[in-house]
Amino acid sequence: MRVLITGIGSVWGSRVARALEDLGSTEAIIGVDTEEPKVELDTTEFVRADEELSIVPRIARATQVDTILALHLATDTLHVSKQALHDRNVIGTTNVVAAASNDMVRKLVVKGSTHLYGSSYDDPYWFYEQTARKHPPTDPLERSLIEADDIVRELGDENRRVQVTRLRFVDVLSGELESPFGRLLQLPIVPEVLGFDPRIQLVHEVDAVAAVLHATLNQIPGVFNVAGDGVLPWSEVCAIVGKRRAPLPPLMTGWAAAALRRLGAPLPDELLRVIRYGRAVDASAFRAAGYRFTHTTASTVDDFAEWVRLHAAVGDTEPEYTYDHDTESFLRRSPSVVRD
Amino acid sequence: MADAPDETDTAAWADMLNPPSCGADLVPLEAPAGAQGRPERRGDVDGWGRSERMRALARRLYQPVYDTWFRVEWEGLEHIPREGGALLVANHGGAIPSDAPVIMHGIESELGRPLYGLADNLFRSVPVIGTLWSRTGGVPANPDNAYRLLHDEQQLVLVFPEGTKGTGKHLRERYQLQRFGRGGFVEIAMRSGVPIVPLAIMGNDETMPIVWKSPRLAKAIGVPYVPVTANMFLFGPLLGLIVPLPAKIRIRVLPPVTFDVASNQEHYERALILEHAEAIRASIQHGVHDMLRQRKSVWRG
């Protein structure tokens, strides 16, 4: 198996590459992103790309990969501008799909997000993969996610040679992997919307990585929600992590949040929706496809709470890895390095 | 970063990537109890936002209202299944209806099993009230929600097909059942493969009767109706919105209706759905008329 991974500059992407290296069944792994890998990798080759991933089709042809893992989708509007969101999610995905259309590629696995379902008072409590939206998307993130999803779906419909698996992840909560919910729950006081205590669903980082591997190593074309089992009220999530809550006004919440954002609070709009009405998805299709989750929503929060306590006591336990081009290419290519 | 943390992760992956039997762990969704055998959830709020603790508290607070204010009496409780899913369908009345809490209280106390009440989505968007409503067993009336409750979880679900048409009735129209929507409730029961248990209620239309309404004002502020109720003359405009009149409430459970169709179909015949919906509406209307015939006093029953 020859694999190309887009979005290797995220911890998530790096971990997937690392896991593929460890499993040892891959001939070559090529990682593409605007940023360097966040985890030390042995054999994976890193190529820097622009925000639109325009070099991906060329690299896929040149390296003759048979599998593309598209993990580049941005879902964190705090770090990504409106323009970059469109470039990365829509144009980037178009380029990945173009790359997947060459003759060598047999499989495309795409990391998506359940943010594309939206979150509204009249939505069902559980979204299934085929649940249609009741309202048009309200912000650039949702719009870009829906567009990206459509682009990939069309490839799956048109091109029978490529097996397309679309994974839709709920929000990841983890200490090691920076996530919107993780940031929120590390605040000294955690915001809530006054009078609302919605159902929150999360997925563990281990499941996030393993789900991509499961789709890579098995033949499961289609679209799958990926989520920890069960839901927890927002108040309980905060209680498990040991945080007090401070209410945002139920009316004009967006304005209040925008003001807080200016003061540095990590409160993007898409999160605001979720802490008002909540969102949960049904992941039984992915279970039926043979995946067994290691964590539920509750155990994900438990693990995060442990990490927060450890972090409060000793700070970062793992030295941060920084990618250095010269060292990495020396280790991979120098004849002096002993390889077995 | 050392290899140590990754090793355990890889072991976990390897473990997961070779499932013992594909598809064996489908519904019911039995989750592995956390990574280190921790319980799945610690609070008692379930997937629908319902909390048994909150229900127990609500039942304790509501007991005096149920016993002494409305003096609720049931007939035919044996028609409600002790296990398995069923859709309870009732007539609706009173500007702010007391029938939903009365039925939920009665069924849960008598049968000892939870009852989820379907209500308008709008509840969910109201701060505080939406949360309390959800904790005490309210669920947005959405076909997906109803199907999951009835089919996947085999729960008891209560629905008032008349919706706000029933609660917005003028005093003159009391006990005249309104249109039962487009029969969506019948379709859900068919798809879920559960029976419908019709409930006829008497007394609810007199707990908060509307004597005057302003359709124009209601339209302007976007609510189903803006009523002046008889309670307001008795208790004042504010208290009158909360305190119902002590009408005697009698509930008759009618024999369950089962459907001679396969469950989980894509499509059900519209005519068949409407026919069943109309038959159920007629049986409830008949039940209500029958109880009214025997009623000597609105207050004493």
Side-chain angles (χ1 to χ4, degrees), chain A residues 18-19 123 125-126 128 195 197 199 210 236 240 277 282 292-294 298 302-303 306 318, chain B residues 1 3 13 15-16 19 25 29 31-32 35 38 40 42-43 47 124 128 131 135 145 148:
Chain A
R18 174 83 230 178
D123 279 331
Y125 268 5
W126 307 91
Y128 296 84
D197 192 9
R199 303 150 59 255
E236 206 169 313
I240 293 171
Y277 292 124
D282 181 283
R292 287 183 302 147
F293 284 89
T294 57
D302 279 331
D303 266 18
E306 283 174 15
E318 285 171 24
Chain B
M1 179 181 293
D3 269 323
W13 290 326
D15 191 32
M16 277 177 301
D25 33 14
L29 312 177
R38 286 176 293 227
E40 192 207 337
R42 280 178 301 188
R124 197 174 164 196
V128 184
T131 305
R135 291 288 173 275
N145 287 347
R148 198 178 169 101

mmCIF file of all heavy atoms in Angstrom, chain A residues 18-19 123 125-126 128 195 197 199 210 236 240 277 282 292-294 298 302-303 306 318, chain B residues 1 3 13 15-16 19 25 29 31-32 35 38 40 42-43 47 124 128 131 135 145 148:
data_model
loop_
_atom_site.group_PDB
_atom_site.id
_atom_site.type_symbol
_atom_site.label_atom_id
_atom_site.label_comp_id
_atom_site.label_asym_id
_atom_site.label_seq_id
_atom_site.Cartn_x
_atom_site.Cartn_y
_atom_site.Cartn_z
ATOM 1 N N ARG A 18 1.958 7.944 11.822
ATOM 2 C CA ARG A 18 2.746 7.192 12.809
ATOM 3 C C ARG A 18 2.163 5.775 12.967
ATOM 4 O O ARG A 18 2.896 4.785 12.978
ATOM 5 C CB ARG A 18 2.687 7.957 14.136
ATOM 6 C CG ARG A 18 3.301 7.313 15.307
ATOM 7 C CD ARG A 18 4.787 7.566 15.339
ATOM 8 N NE ARG A 18 5.481 6.314 15.535
ATOM 9 C CZ ARG A 18 6.806 6.199 15.561
ATOM 10 N NH1 ARG A 18 7.570 7.259 15.356
ATOM 11 N NH2 ARG A 18 7.359 5.036 15.769
ATOM 12 N N ALA A 19 0.848 5.705 13.076
ATOM 13 C CA ALA A 19 0.203 4.401 13.267
ATOM 14 C C ALA A 19 0.406 3.515 12.042
ATOM 15 O O ALA A 19 0.660 2.306 12.167
ATOM 16 C CB ALA A 19 -1.287 4.594 13.538
ATOM 17 N N ASP A 123 -34.093 20.321 14.917
ATOM 18 C CA ASP A 123 -33.392 19.150 14.393
ATOM 19 C C ASP A 123 -33.724 17.926 15.242
ATOM 20 O O ASP A 123 -34.062 18.051 16.410
ATOM 21 C CB ASP A 123 -31.880 19.390 14.441
ATOM 22 C CG ASP A 123 -31.399 20.219 13.270
ATOM 23 O OD1 ASP A 123 -32.035 20.130 12.208
ATOM 24 O OD2 ASP A 123 -30.411 20.943 13.419
ATOM 25 N N TYR A 125 -32.926 14.638 17.510
ATOM 26 C CA TYR A 125 -31.916 14.471 18.554
ATOM 27 C C TYR A 125 -30.714 13.675 18.052
ATOM 28 O O TYR A 125 -29.623 13.797 18.555
ATOM 29 C CB TYR A 125 -32.536 13.765 19.760
ATOM 30 C CG TYR A 125 -33.087 14.709 20.802
ATOM 31 C CD1 TYR A 125 -33.106 16.076 20.602
ATOM 32 C CD2 TYR A 125 -33.577 14.226 22.012
ATOM 33 C CE1 TYR A 125 -33.596 16.939 21.562
ATOM 34 C CE2 TYR A 125 -34.065 15.083 22.987
ATOM 35 C CZ TYR A 125 -34.073 16.431 22.750
ATOM 36 O OH TYR A 125 -34.556 17.291 23.719
ATOM 37 N N TRP A 126 -30.951 12.784 17.093
ATOM 38 C CA TRP A 126 -29.849 11.981 16.552
ATOM 39 C C TRP A 126 -29.804 12.171 15.050
ATOM 40 O O TRP A 126 -30.795 11.936 14.363
ATOM 41 C CB TRP A 126 -30.055 10.491 16.864
ATOM 42 C CG TRP A 126 -30.295 10.225 18.300
ATOM 43 C CD1 TRP A 126 -31.500 10.181 18.933
ATOM 44 C CD2 TRP A 126 -29.312 9.990 19.311
ATOM 45 N NE1 TRP A 126 -31.323 9.946 20.268
ATOM 46 C CE2 TRP A 126 -29.988 9.818 20.529
ATOM 47 C CE3 TRP A 126 -27.905 9.918 19.297
ATOM 48 C CZ2 TRP A 126 -29.329 9.572 21.720
ATOM 49 C CZ3 TRP A 126 -27.263 9.669 20.493
ATOM 50 C CH2 TRP A 126 -27.964 9.499 21.687
ATOM 51 N N TYR A 128 -28.604 10.865 11.502
ATOM 52 C CA TYR A 128 -28.092 9.713 10.761
ATOM 53 C C TYR A 128 -27.356 10.260 9.546
ATOM 54 O O TYR A 128 -27.510 11.434 9.190
ATOM 55 C CB TYR A 128 -29.241 8.800 10.330
ATOM 56 C CG TYR A 128 -29.977 8.179 11.489
ATOM 57 C CD1 TYR A 128 -30.986 8.871 12.145
ATOM 58 C CD2 TYR A 128 -29.651 6.908 11.943
ATOM 59 C CE1 TYR A 128 -31.647 8.318 13.228
ATOM 60 C CE2 TYR A 128 -30.305 6.346 13.023
ATOM 61 C CZ TYR A 128 -31.306 7.047 13.658
ATOM 62 O OH TYR A 128 -31.954 6.503 14.727
ATOM 63 N N GLY A 195 -29.866 28.924 30.750
ATOM 64 C CA GLY A 195 -31.121 28.207 30.574
ATOM 65 C C GLY A 195 -31.032 27.031 29.617
ATOM 66 O O GLY A 195 -32.023 26.347 29.392
ATOM 67 N N ASP A 197 -28.957 23.392 28.596
ATOM 68 C CA ASP A 197 -28.019 22.373 29.065
ATOM 69 C C ASP A 197 -28.074 21.209 28.078
ATOM 70 O O ASP A 197 -28.663 20.177 28.347
ATOM 71 C CB ASP A 197 -28.405 21.918 30.475
ATOM 72 C CG ASP A 197 -27.307 21.086 31.112
ATOM 73 O OD1 ASP A 197 -26.203 21.021 30.529
ATOM 74 O OD2 ASP A 197 -27.553 20.514 32.177
ATOM 75 N N ARG A 199 -27.357 18.256 25.028
ATOM 76 C CA ARG A 199 -26.700 16.946 24.943
ATOM 77 C C ARG A 199 -25.439 17.095 24.098
ATOM 78 O O ARG A 199 -25.496 17.525 22.966
ATOM 79 C CB ARG A 199 -27.656 15.956 24.289
ATOM 80 C CG ARG A 199 -28.972 15.831 25.027
ATOM 81 C CD ARG A 199 -30.152 15.497 24.133
ATOM 82 N NE ARG A 199 -29.982 14.253 23.416
ATOM 83 C CZ ARG A 199 -29.699 14.174 22.130
ATOM 84 N NH1 ARG A 199 -29.549 15.266 21.420
ATOM 85 N NH2 ARG A 199 -29.594 13.007 21.555
ATOM 86 N N ALA A 210 -7.940 5.745 15.041
ATOM 87 C CA ALA A 210 -8.218 4.347 14.693
ATOM 88 C C ALA A 210 -9.341 4.236 13.660
ATOM 89 O O ALA A 210 -9.339 3.315 12.834
ATOM 90 C CB ALA A 210 -8.577 3.561 15.951
ATOM 91 N N GLU A 236 -22.748 18.423 32.917
ATOM 92 C CA GLU A 236 -22.052 17.266 33.473
ATOM 93 C C GLU A 236 -20.631 17.164 32.928
ATOM 94 O O GLU A 236 -19.706 16.773 33.642
ATOM 95 C CB GLU A 236 -22.843 15.998 33.163
ATOM 96 C CG GLU A 236 -22.583 14.898 34.158
ATOM 97 C CD GLU A 236 -23.566 13.755 34.003
ATOM 98 O OE1 GLU A 236 -24.777 14.034 33.896
ATOM 99 O OE2 GLU A 236 -23.121 12.605 33.985
ATOM 100 N N ILE A 240 -17.438 17.010 35.349
ATOM 101 C CA ILE A 240 -16.433 15.939 35.347
ATOM 102 C C ILE A 240 -15.031 16.541 35.246
ATOM 103 O O ILE A 240 -14.098 16.102 35.903
ATOM 104 C CB ILE A 240 -16.700 14.945 34.192
ATOM 105 C CG1 ILE A 240 -18.008 14.195 34.436
ATOM 106 C CG2 ILE A 240 -15.556 13.940 34.065
ATOM 107 C CD1 ILE A 240 -18.469 13.355 33.266
ATOM 108 N N TYR A 277 -27.941 24.120 21.567
ATOM 109 C CA TYR A 277 -28.892 23.055 21.239
ATOM 110 C C TYR A 277 -28.274 21.658 21.245
ATOM 111 O O TYR A 277 -28.998 20.672 21.163
ATOM 112 C CB TYR A 277 -29.524 23.310 19.872
ATOM 113 C CG TYR A 277 -30.442 24.515 19.880
ATOM 114 C CD1 TYR A 277 -30.253 25.559 19.003
ATOM 115 C CD2 TYR A 277 -31.473 24.591 20.802
ATOM 116 C CE1 TYR A 277 -31.086 26.673 19.021
ATOM 117 C CE2 TYR A 277 -32.306 25.697 20.835
ATOM 118 C CZ TYR A 277 -32.111 26.734 19.935
ATOM 119 O OH TYR A 277 -32.933 27.819 19.968
ATOM 120 N N ASP A 282 -25.838 9.258 15.173
ATOM 121 C CA ASP A 282 -25.931 7.821 15.343
ATOM 122 C C ASP A 282 -24.750 7.186 14.602
ATOM 123 O O ASP A 282 -24.594 7.389 13.402
ATOM 124 C CB ASP A 282 -27.250 7.328 14.755
ATOM 125 C CG ASP A 282 -27.407 5.837 14.922
ATOM 126 O OD1 ASP A 282 -26.769 5.086 14.161
ATOM 127 O OD2 ASP A 282 -28.145 5.429 15.821
ATOM 128 N N ARG A 292 -14.980 -1.090 16.417
ATOM 129 C CA ARG A 292 -15.345 -1.096 17.826
ATOM 130 C C ARG A 292 -14.706 0.107 18.507
ATOM 131 O O ARG A 292 -13.501 0.259 18.499
ATOM 132 C CB ARG A 292 -14.875 -2.386 18.498
ATOM 133 C CG ARG A 292 -15.719 -3.593 18.074
ATOM 134 C CD ARG A 292 -15.274 -4.820 18.809
ATOM 135 N NE ARG A 292 -13.861 -5.094 18.552
ATOM 136 C CZ ARG A 292 -13.030 -5.649 19.444
ATOM 137 N NH1 ARG A 292 -13.463 -5.986 20.623
ATOM 138 N NH2 ARG A 292 -11.783 -5.863 19.125
ATOM 139 N N PHE A 293 -15.537 0.946 19.091
ATOM 140 C CA PHE A 293 -15.024 2.144 19.744
ATOM 141 C C PHE A 293 -14.322 1.775 21.044
ATOM 142 O O PHE A 293 -14.794 0.914 21.783
ATOM 143 C CB PHE A 293 -16.174 3.111 20.041
ATOM 144 C CG PHE A 293 -16.650 3.838 18.822
ATOM 145 C CD1 PHE A 293 -17.653 3.289 18.026
ATOM 146 C CD2 PHE A 293 -16.104 5.047 18.460
ATOM 147 C CE1 PHE A 293 -18.089 3.939 16.899
ATOM 148 C CE2 PHE A 293 -16.544 5.714 17.330
ATOM 149 C CZ PHE A 293 -17.534 5.154 16.549
ATOM 150 N N THR A 294 -13.190 2.430 21.312
ATOM 151 C CA THR A 294 -12.522 2.190 22.592
ATOM 152 C C THR A 294 -13.108 3.071 23.681
ATOM 153 O O THR A 294 -13.008 2.746 24.847
ATOM 154 C CB THR A 294 -11.017 2.517 22.506
ATOM 155 O OG1 THR A 294 -10.879 3.876 22.084
ATOM 156 C CG2 THR A 294 -10.319 1.613 21.508
ATOM 157 N N ALA A 298 -18.576 9.597 27.640
ATOM 158 C CA ALA A 298 -18.259 9.806 29.056
ATOM 159 C C ALA A 298 -16.805 9.461 29.365
ATOM 160 O O ALA A 298 -16.122 10.207 30.077
ATOM 161 C CB ALA A 298 -19.198 8.977 29.923
ATOM 162 N N ASP A 302 -13.779 11.704 30.858
ATOM 163 C CA ASP A 302 -12.972 11.236 31.996
ATOM 164 C C ASP A 302 -11.485 11.347 31.701
ATOM 165 O O ASP A 302 -10.709 11.839 32.518
ATOM 166 C CB ASP A 302 -13.305 9.775 32.308
ATOM 167 C CG ASP A 302 -14.571 9.647 33.136
ATOM 168 O OD1 ASP A 302 -14.860 10.581 33.894
ATOM 169 O OD2 ASP A 302 -15.253 8.623 33.019
ATOM 170 N N ASP A 303 -11.086 10.862 30.530
ATOM 171 C CA ASP A 303 -9.674 10.906 30.150
ATOM 172 C C ASP A 303 -9.175 12.339 30.075
ATOM 173 O O ASP A 303 -8.059 12.640 30.484
ATOM 174 C CB ASP A 303 -9.479 10.237 28.775
ATOM 175 C CG ASP A 303 -9.103 8.783 28.930
ATOM 176 O OD1 ASP A 303 -9.335 8.234 30.032
ATOM 177 O OD2 ASP A 303 -8.568 8.198 27.966
ATOM 178 N N GLU A 306 -8.577 13.721 33.488
ATOM 179 C CA GLU A 306 -7.301 13.240 34.039
ATOM 180 C C GLU A 306 -6.143 14.026 33.453
ATOM 181 O O GLU A 306 -5.210 14.403 34.159
ATOM 182 C CB GLU A 306 -7.133 11.740 33.753
ATOM 183 C CG GLU A 306 -7.969 10.881 34.666
ATOM 184 C CD GLU A 306 -7.913 9.409 34.289
ATOM 185 O OE1 GLU A 306 -7.009 9.014 33.513
ATOM 186 O OE2 GLU A 306 -8.785 8.654 34.759
ATOM 187 N N GLU A 318 5.190 15.664 27.664
ATOM 188 C CA GLU A 318 5.962 15.182 26.536
ATOM 189 C C GLU A 318 6.664 16.345 25.857
ATOM 190 O O GLU A 318 6.046 17.367 25.598
ATOM 191 C CB GLU A 318 5.043 14.467 25.546
ATOM 192 C CG GLU A 318 4.636 13.100 26.035
ATOM 193 C CD GLU A 318 3.575 12.486 25.163
ATOM 194 O OE1 GLU A 318 3.474 12.866 23.982
ATOM 195 O OE2 GLU A 318 2.832 11.633 25.669
ATOM 196 N N MET B 1 9.404 12.728 20.980
ATOM 197 C CA MET B 1 8.418 11.848 21.623
ATOM 198 C C MET B 1 8.901 10.395 21.599
ATOM 199 O O MET B 1 9.355 9.899 20.574
ATOM 200 C CB MET B 1 7.091 11.952 20.883
ATOM 201 C CG MET B 1 6.055 11.045 21.482
ATOM 202 S SD MET B 1 4.530 11.182 20.570
ATOM 203 C CE MET B 1 4.071 12.855 20.966
ATOM 204 N N ASP B 3 8.665 6.193 22.113
ATOM 205 C CA ASP B 3 7.766 5.214 21.515
ATOM 206 C C ASP B 3 6.727 4.684 22.506
ATOM 207 O O ASP B 3 5.725 4.129 22.114
ATOM 208 C CB ASP B 3 8.574 4.026 20.969
ATOM 209 C CG ASP B 3 8.940 4.270 19.510
ATOM 210 O OD1 ASP B 3 8.098 4.836 18.796
ATOM 211 O OD2 ASP B 3 10.030 3.905 19.111
ATOM 212 N N TRP B 13 -5.071 -0.168 18.611
ATOM 213 C CA TRP B 13 -5.516 -0.150 17.222
ATOM 214 C C TRP B 13 -5.576 -1.555 16.663
ATOM 215 O O TRP B 13 -6.559 -1.969 16.091
ATOM 216 C CB TRP B 13 -4.546 0.668 16.359
ATOM 217 C CG TRP B 13 -4.607 2.116 16.652
ATOM 218 C CD1 TRP B 13 -5.726 2.815 17.011
ATOM 219 C CD2 TRP B 13 -3.532 3.029 16.646
ATOM 220 N NE1 TRP B 13 -5.407 4.121 17.203
ATOM 221 C CE2 TRP B 13 -4.065 4.292 16.987
ATOM 222 C CE3 TRP B 13 -2.179 2.938 16.371
ATOM 223 C CZ2 TRP B 13 -3.296 5.428 17.071
ATOM 224 C CZ3 TRP B 13 -1.417 4.079 16.433
ATOM 225 C CH2 TRP B 13 -1.959 5.309 16.800
ATOM 226 N N ASP B 15 -5.903 -4.215 18.094
ATOM 227 C CA ASP B 15 -7.005 -4.923 18.723
ATOM 228 C C ASP B 15 -8.321 -4.584 18.024
ATOM 229 O O ASP B 15 -9.140 -5.440 17.720
ATOM 230 C CB ASP B 15 -7.052 -4.505 20.195
ATOM 231 C CG ASP B 15 -7.987 -5.389 20.991
ATOM 232 O OD1 ASP B 15 -8.076 -6.573 20.613
ATOM 233 O OD2 ASP B 15 -8.601 -4.903 21.939
ATOM 234 N N MET B 16 -8.470 -3.270 17.741
ATOM 235 C CA MET B 16 -9.729 -2.831 17.163
ATOM 236 C C MET B 16 -9.862 -3.192 15.698
ATOM 237 O O MET B 16 -10.947 -3.345 15.184
ATOM 238 C CB MET B 16 -9.834 -1.314 17.275
ATOM 239 C CG MET B 16 -10.335 -0.870 18.598
ATOM 240 S SD MET B 16 -10.307 0.888 18.615
ATOM 241 C CE MET B 16 -8.610 1.227 18.308
ATOM 242 N N PRO B 19 -11.758 -7.049 14.532
ATOM 243 C CA PRO B 19 -12.911 -7.350 15.361
ATOM 244 C C PRO B 19 -13.250 -8.833 15.297
ATOM 245 O O PRO B 19 -13.072 -9.448 14.241
ATOM 246 C CB PRO B 19 -14.025 -6.512 14.734
ATOM 247 C CG PRO B 19 -13.586 -6.284 13.333
ATOM 248 C CD PRO B 19 -12.100 -6.300 13.335
ATOM 249 N N ASP B 25 -21.859 -6.374 17.102
ATOM 250 C CA ASP B 25 -22.218 -5.402 18.129
ATOM 251 C C ASP B 25 -23.062 -4.279 17.532
ATOM 252 O O ASP B 25 -22.656 -3.144 17.473
ATOM 253 C CB ASP B 25 -20.983 -4.853 18.839
ATOM 254 C CG ASP B 25 -19.790 -4.756 17.912
ATOM 255 O OD1 ASP B 25 -20.007 -4.852 16.682
ATOM 256 O OD2 ASP B 25 -18.694 -4.578 18.391
ATOM 257 N N LEU B 29 -27.187 -0.630 21.484
ATOM 258 C CA LEU B 29 -25.847 -0.079 21.476
ATOM 259 C C LEU B 29 -25.173 -0.295 22.823
ATOM 260 O O LEU B 29 -25.175 0.565 23.683
ATOM 261 C CB LEU B 29 -25.910 1.416 21.162
ATOM 262 C CG LEU B 29 -26.780 1.752 19.954
ATOM 263 C CD1 LEU B 29 -26.861 3.239 19.756
ATOM 264 C CD2 LEU B 29 -26.225 1.094 18.715
ATOM 265 N N ALA B 31 -22.203 -0.181 24.755
ATOM 266 C CA ALA B 31 -20.867 0.382 24.622
ATOM 267 C C ALA B 31 -19.905 -0.388 25.497
ATOM 268 O O ALA B 31 -20.284 -0.883 26.552
ATOM 269 C CB ALA B 31 -20.891 1.835 25.051
ATOM 270 N N PRO B 32 -18.656 -0.524 25.047
ATOM 271 C CA PRO B 32 -17.655 -1.030 25.972
ATOM 272 C C PRO B 32 -17.563 -0.024 27.109
ATOM 273 O O PRO B 32 -17.541 1.170 26.873
ATOM 274 C CB PRO B 32 -16.374 -1.050 25.138
ATOM 275 C CG PRO B 32 -16.612 -0.113 24.014
ATOM 276 C CD PRO B 32 -18.088 -0.131 23.754
ATOM 277 N N ALA B 35 -12.575 2.984 28.768
ATOM 278 C CA ALA B 35 -11.294 2.347 28.514
ATOM 279 C C ALA B 35 -10.876 1.461 29.676
ATOM 280 O O ALA B 35 -10.393 0.358 29.482
ATOM 281 C CB ALA B 35 -10.249 3.416 28.264
ATOM 282 N N ARG B 38 -14.784 1.850 33.267
ATOM 283 C CA ARG B 38 -15.576 2.812 34.023
ATOM 284 C C ARG B 38 -17.024 2.735 33.562
ATOM 285 O O ARG B 38 -17.294 2.327 32.448
ATOM 286 C CB ARG B 38 -15.035 4.224 33.793
ATOM 287 C CG ARG B 38 -13.737 4.469 34.524
ATOM 288 C CD ARG B 38 -13.181 5.830 34.191
ATOM 289 N NE ARG B 38 -12.781 5.878 32.800
ATOM 290 C CZ ARG B 38 -11.608 6.361 32.387
ATOM 291 N NH1 ARG B 38 -10.749 6.808 33.259
ATOM 292 N NH2 ARG B 38 -11.298 6.394 31.125
ATOM 293 N N GLU B 40 -20.533 3.777 32.004
ATOM 294 C CA GLU B 40 -20.688 4.558 30.786
ATOM 295 C C GLU B 40 -21.092 5.994 31.083
ATOM 296 O O GLU B 40 -20.622 6.921 30.461
ATOM 297 C CB GLU B 40 -21.727 3.893 29.894
ATOM 298 C CG GLU B 40 -21.735 4.475 28.509
ATOM 299 C CD GLU B 40 -23.070 4.333 27.863
ATOM 300 O OE1 GLU B 40 -23.838 3.438 28.268
ATOM 301 O OE2 GLU B 40 -23.375 5.117 26.956
ATOM 302 N N ARG B 42 -22.338 8.820 34.378
ATOM 303 C CA ARG B 42 -22.425 8.947 35.828
ATOM 304 C C ARG B 42 -23.667 9.666 36.295
ATOM 305 O O ARG B 42 -24.227 9.341 37.318
ATOM 306 C CB ARG B 42 -21.168 9.599 36.371
ATOM 307 C CG ARG B 42 -20.072 8.561 36.464
ATOM 308 C CD ARG B 42 -18.812 9.172 36.939
ATOM 309 N NE ARG B 42 -18.405 10.225 36.020
ATOM 310 C CZ ARG B 42 -17.240 10.840 36.108
ATOM 311 N NH1 ARG B 42 -16.415 10.535 37.063
ATOM 312 N NH2 ARG B 42 -16.912 11.762 35.239
ATOM 313 N N GLY B 43 -24.092 10.673 35.544
ATOM 314 C CA GLY B 43 -25.342 11.320 35.901
ATOM 315 C C GLY B 43 -26.475 10.387 35.516
ATOM 316 O O GLY B 43 -26.246 9.274 35.062
ATOM 317 N N GLY B 47 -30.135 9.591 27.031
ATOM 318 C CA GLY B 47 -29.858 10.128 25.699
ATOM 319 C C GLY B 47 -30.901 11.127 25.222
ATOM 320 O O GLY B 47 -30.673 11.857 24.264
ATOM 321 N N ARG B 124 -37.982 23.530 22.881
ATOM 322 C CA ARG B 124 -36.542 23.350 23.017
ATOM 323 C C ARG B 124 -35.805 24.686 22.943
ATOM 324 O O ARG B 124 -34.710 24.824 23.458
ATOM 325 C CB ARG B 124 -36.077 22.437 21.880
ATOM 326 C CG ARG B 124 -34.719 21.832 22.078
ATOM 327 C CD ARG B 124 -34.460 20.861 20.953
ATOM 328 N NE ARG B 124 -33.056 20.528 20.860
ATOM 329 C CZ ARG B 124 -32.517 19.950 19.795
ATOM 330 N NH1 ARG B 124 -33.263 19.649 18.759
ATOM 331 N NH2 ARG B 124 -31.244 19.664 19.774
ATOM 332 N N VAL B 128 -34.385 27.693 30.069
ATOM 333 C CA VAL B 128 -34.847 27.168 31.351
ATOM 334 C C VAL B 128 -36.032 26.214 31.165
ATOM 335 O O VAL B 128 -35.938 25.032 31.500
ATOM 336 C CB VAL B 128 -35.214 28.290 32.362
ATOM 337 C CG1 VAL B 128 -35.589 27.670 33.706
ATOM 338 C CG2 VAL B 128 -34.026 29.241 32.540
ATOM 339 N N THR B 131 -35.157 23.255 29.060
ATOM 340 C CA THR B 131 -34.298 22.304 29.768
ATOM 341 C C THR B 131 -35.110 21.493 30.778
ATOM 342 O O THR B 131 -34.981 20.272 30.851
ATOM 343 C CB THR B 131 -33.148 23.052 30.478
ATOM 344 O OG1 THR B 131 -32.462 23.842 29.515
ATOM 345 C CG2 THR B 131 -32.179 22.086 31.115
ATOM 346 N N ARG B 135 -35.717 17.471 30.823
ATOM 347 C CA ARG B 135 -35.335 16.632 31.974
ATOM 348 C C ARG B 135 -36.531 15.835 32.506
ATOM 349 O O ARG B 135 -36.362 14.780 33.108
ATOM 350 C CB ARG B 135 -34.787 17.499 33.108
ATOM 351 C CG ARG B 135 -33.454 18.135 32.840
ATOM 352 C CD ARG B 135 -32.314 17.141 32.858
ATOM 353 N NE ARG B 135 -31.092 17.800 32.425
ATOM 354 C CZ ARG B 135 -30.725 17.952 31.142
ATOM 355 N NH1 ARG B 135 -31.473 17.453 30.179
ATOM 356 N NH2 ARG B 135 -29.629 18.576 30.830
ATOM 357 N N ASN B 145 -37.096 11.138 16.034
ATOM 358 C CA ASN B 145 -37.068 10.927 17.487
ATOM 359 C C ASN B 145 -38.090 9.871 17.892
ATOM 360 O O ASN B 145 -37.795 8.961 18.669
ATOM 361 C CB ASN B 145 -37.393 12.231 18.222
ATOM 362 C CG ASN B 145 -36.249 13.230 18.170
ATOM 363 O OD1 ASN B 145 -35.131 12.881 17.790
ATOM 364 N ND2 ASN B 145 -36.530 14.464 18.533
ATOM 365 N N ARG B 148 -37.054 6.326 16.846
ATOM 366 C CA ARG B 148 -35.957 5.796 17.660
ATOM 367 C C ARG B 148 -36.451 5.363 19.042
ATOM 368 O O ARG B 148 -36.074 4.312 19.555
ATOM 369 C CB ARG B 148 -34.866 6.854 17.795
ATOM 370 C CG ARG B 148 -33.527 6.293 18.243
ATOM 371 C CD ARG B 148 -32.498 7.400 18.307
ATOM 372 N NE ARG B 148 -31.296 6.924 18.981
ATOM 373 C CZ ARG B 148 -30.192 6.551 18.333
ATOM 374 N NH1 ARG B 148 -30.118 6.609 17.045
ATOM 375 N NH2 ARG B 148 -29.137 6.126 19.017
#
